Amino acid sequence: MSGGFFGIPSDLQNTYWGLVGLHLREALIPVVAGLVVALPIAQLCVRLRWLYPPVLWVTTILYAVPSLAFFVVLIDYTGQTETTVMIPLGIYSLVVFVPAIVDGVRSVPQETLDAATAMGLGPVRRYFQVQLPIAAPAIIAGLRVATVSSISLVSVGMLIGNQGGLGNLLNDGMIYHQPRLVWLSVVGTAVLAILADALLVLVRVLVTPWMPRGTRKPRPVDEPEPMQAALEDAVR
């Protein structure tokens, strides 16, 4: 074991900051992949309302499958690799993303959609330029939940070798009776989750400038409503 507070056992074949990088990579790639997959699925559920209940049912069932069971199935195909950890995390994120996107898109007022259509926007442009921007708060809320959950679940990867990021320290801390390693794992994971959540809050503030911030100031009579302003910005 190397010296210093951040020294870790040599059997992990990595440094503390290397494990932090591994942890973030294994947590964030599945979230991004899950979001990309969820966008078209959610749009189908919005257009075909009968499809939403079975999709929600399937994603909920998959979320209920323990990650260890996923590992057992996947390990014959992907081995003891990062991919084996990331695939279940990406699947788990769907149960958060699909409802968040569907509810956010459905919350767009029909008057706004009619106005977008009257301005010449087709279904695809209306979805990307009007519906998704207005649904951004709900989508980012789902993104926050999925990201924090993924960061916490990466540690389970320690069950298939040194693929658990900071979770490897938790495992070695118990093996070598080193409370320091346990604290490095637990506190490090919590800090990563808090920082990621704070960054997404900042992103929400930046991408939804039309939302009220704290105490609202009286709006001049000639100032457009936030929803109208958002629509006009999207059309531009």
Side-chain angles (χ1 to χ4, degrees):
M1 182 182 299
S2 57
F5 181 75
F6 292 100
I8 62 176
S10 58
D11 64 299
L12 295 181
Q13 300 178 349
N14 217 324
T15 64
Y16 179 77
W17 302 111
L19 291 177
V20 170
L22 173 64
H23 199 103
L24 288 174
R25 184 167 66 249
E26 291 183 345
L28 299 183
I29 290 178
V31 171
V32 174
L35 180 60
V36 171
V37 172
L39 283 172
I41 294 177
Q43 177 62 3
L44 284 175
C45 292
V46 171
R47 296 180 66 86
L48 307 173
R49 289 183 174 269
W50 61 266
L51 187 61
Y52 185 43
V55 167
L56 195 59
W57 180 79
V58 170
T59 57
T60 303
I61 292 296
L62 291 174
Y63 187 80
V65 177
S67 54
L68 184 59
F70 270 121
F71 293 161
V72 172
V73 173
L74 293 172
I75 204 166
D76 288 337
Y77 303 96
T78 55
Q80 295 182 344
T81 64
E82 296 178 32
T83 305
T84 304
V85 178
M86 291 190 289
I87 290 177
L89 296 181
I91 293 175
Y92 291 156
S93 69
L94 294 178
V95 78
V96 177
F97 282 135
V98 173
I101 298 172
V102 170
D103 293 343
V105 171
R106 284 181 177 175
S107 68
V108 178
Q110 185 60 43
E111 295 82 0
T112 303
L113 298 179
D114 293 340
T117 302
M119 291 179 180
L121 271 66
V124 176
R125 288 186 61 193
R126 187 176 60 189
Y127 179 60
F128 284 102
Q129 293 183 319
V130 178
Q131 291 176 288
L132 285 184
I134 295 177
I139 297 173
I140 295 178
L143 185 61
R144 291 173 61 187
V145 174
T147 300
V148 172
S149 299
S150 186
I151 289 175
S152 65
L153 289 173
V154 165
S155 297
V156 183
M158 68 183 181
L159 298 173
I160 60 168
N162 294 338
Q163 301 299 335
L166 293 176
N168 297 331
L169 291 177
L170 179 63
N171 184 50
D172 274 23
M174 293 185 293
I175 292 175
Y176 297 118
H177 304 289
Q178 289 281 340
R180 177 180 62 85
L181 298 179
V182 175
W183 281 108
L184 283 174
S185 173
V186 174
V187 175
T189 302
V191 169
L192 289 181
I194 292 171
L195 291 177
D197 187 65
L199 180 61
L200 289 173
V201 170
L202 177 60
V203 170
R204 182 184 67 81
V205 171
L206 293 176
V207 302
T208 58
W210 43 270
M211 289 190 66
R213 309 282 179 238
T215 303
R216 298 188 61 179
K217 297 180 180 180
R219 187 173 58 247
V221 177
D222 59 346
E223 182 177 332
E225 290 290 336
M227 199 68 71
Q228 179 184 349
L231 177 59
E232 292 176 354
D233 290 342
V235 174
R236 293 194 196 106

